Amino acid sequence: MHPAFSVVFFTTATGAGYGLLALLGAFAGQGFIPPDFWLGLVGMGLALGLISAGLLSSAGHLGRPERAWRAFSQWQSSWLSREGVASVVTFVPAGLFGIGWVFLGRTNGWVTVAGLLAAIGAIVTVCTTGMIYASLKPIAQWHSRFTLPGYLIFSAMTGNVLLNALLQGFAIGSNPFLAAALLLTVLGWGLKLATWRHNDRLEIPTNANTATGLAGGIVRSMEWPHTEENYLLKEMGFRIARKHSTKLRQITQVLAFALPALLLVSAFSLPWPYAAVLSIAAAIAQFAGMLVERWLFFAEAKHTVTLYYGR
């Protein structure tokens, strides 16, 4: 068993898309990015395209996609439902902002308000996504102080790198945007290393003895509770060898952090179009690296219920 690619792609694509949308809504809405037709079309198309592709991918992961609408009714108690509501609501100001910026050539007045609301909606949606996992107490690797900040920082990081690549591609890049992309990449790298260190040192107090209340020996499972794999085993009962985990962590560090940082540093000293090529390469490498990072995020998580299966 391995993590479903649909969920891996969903968290990676929507994180980058919402990060880019928040930055476009905030900076273009304040006039820091010019109201150019093609820039707006490509920028908003990329942001909303990533978000839509991620959401569609997550819907395809459902056993009964036609019942997905029912999740929206549980917003008072479910972070998954809140994420769904927030994602849909965010499309409204994002759409208005895109119309004003792209087709009307405006970044002031009501377009500014729509941009800020889209940015707020994007941040709220990323927070709800992070809380889906951070709120799960049976999974110690997710129920930690690193999960929610990780979602926010990785979204800002990938969004900034995409924005820098976009601006460089249109020959209007600037050192502040380039520096922000580099700084957030280094910050994301540090957070990822801290998260891995924390998870590797986890001492989970629950075991088969404490779960059953039996003492005086070692409790072992003679048989599985059922004959077929259930939802929890398919989604949160993965087993990954330490050597494979180490290799994938190294790939993550190279693709998601080290290589993009090196390319961004090199872009500082080069003129256009070389800086644009390096910036676009950094965005592509980082997206690929974050796919590996998200795969590890799911594969290394262990649900407490796996105790009943001798794991």
Side-chain angles (χ1 to χ4, degrees):
M1 298 299 299
H2 55 80
F5 180 75
S6 57
V7 177
V8 173
F9 180 78
F10 159 69
T11 54
T12 305
T14 55
Y18 281 122
L20 179 58
L21 175 62
L23 292 168
L24 289 175
F27 288 110
Q30 297 298 318
F32 292 101
I33 300 175
D36 178 78
F37 173 81
W38 288 109
L39 174 62
L41 184 64
V42 174
M44 290 299 294
L46 181 60
L48 296 179
L50 284 170
I51 294 169
S52 299
L55 293 175
L56 289 174
S57 175
S58 68
H61 179 67
L62 299 175
R64 300 293 296 272
E66 70 276 9
R67 296 179 180 177
W69 63 271
R70 296 183 178 180
F72 291 89
S73 64
Q74 307 300 314
W75 59 270
Q76 292 179 314
S77 59
S78 168
W79 283 108
L80 179 62
S81 180
R82 292 164 188 164
E83 178 200 41
V85 173
S87 64
V88 171
V89 171
T90 301
F91 271 103
V92 177
L96 292 174
F97 172 68
I99 292 172
W101 183 19
V102 177
F103 298 105
L104 302 181
R106 294 182 56 184
T107 55
N108 56 7
W110 64 268
V111 180
T112 299
V113 176
L116 291 175
L117 290 176
I120 294 172
I123 295 171
V124 170
T125 305
V126 173
C127 286
T128 57
T129 304
M131 284 304 300
I132 292 175
Y133 304 100
S135 63
L136 296 178
K137 295 181 180 180
I139 304 178
Q141 290 84 357
W142 293 351
H143 188 64
S144 77
R145 63 182 183 275
F146 294 100
T147 300
L148 180 57
Y151 266 85
L152 289 170
I153 290 175
F154 292 148
S155 180
M157 177 188 73
T158 51
N160 265 273
V161 173
L162 281 174
L163 177 60
N164 173 68
L166 181 68
L167 297 178
Q168 293 286 354
F170 280 87
I172 56 173
S174 63
N175 284 341
F177 284 110
L178 186 55
L182 176 59
L183 178 62
L184 283 167
T185 297
V186 174
L187 180 62
W189 193 356
L191 178 68
K192 190 72 260 184
L193 291 175
T195 303
W196 283 334
R197 184 165 56 249
H198 170 268
N199 290 346
D200 290 342
R201 296 176 178 177
L202 274 177
E203 294 184 3
I204 302 176
T206 305
N207 54 41
N209 287 65
T210 60
T212 57
L214 299 174
I218 299 176
V219 176
R220 294 185 177 91
S221 177
M222 298 294 293
E223 293 182 349
W224 278 25
H226 41 76
T227 58
E228 295 182 359
E229 297 241 333
N230 63 4
Y231 171 79
L232 286 174
L233 285 183
K234 291 180 179 179
E235 298 293 329
M236 304 167 193
F238 311 115
R239 285 181 289 184
I240 177 172
R242 181 172 293 275
K243 63 177 182 179
H244 294 151
S245 178
T246 300
K247 184 177 181 180
L248 289 173
R249 287 185 180 188
Q250 292 171 346
I251 293 174
T252 297
Q253 291 189 70
V254 171
L255 288 179
F257 307 112
L259 182 56
L262 179 61
L263 292 171
L264 292 173
V265 168
S266 301
F268 270 106
S269 57
L270 293 175
W272 192 89
Y274 304 106
V277 173
L278 292 178
S279 296
I280 294 172
I284 295 173
Q286 187 168 83
F287 190 85
M290 289 306 296
L291 285 173
V292 180
E293 187 278 331
R294 288 293 88 181
W295 192 95
L296 274 174
F297 176 79
F298 291 102
E300 293 184 323
K302 295 292 182 291
H303 198 288
T304 308
V305 77
T306 55
L307 290 171
Y308 289 102
Y309 302 88
R311 296 184 183 179

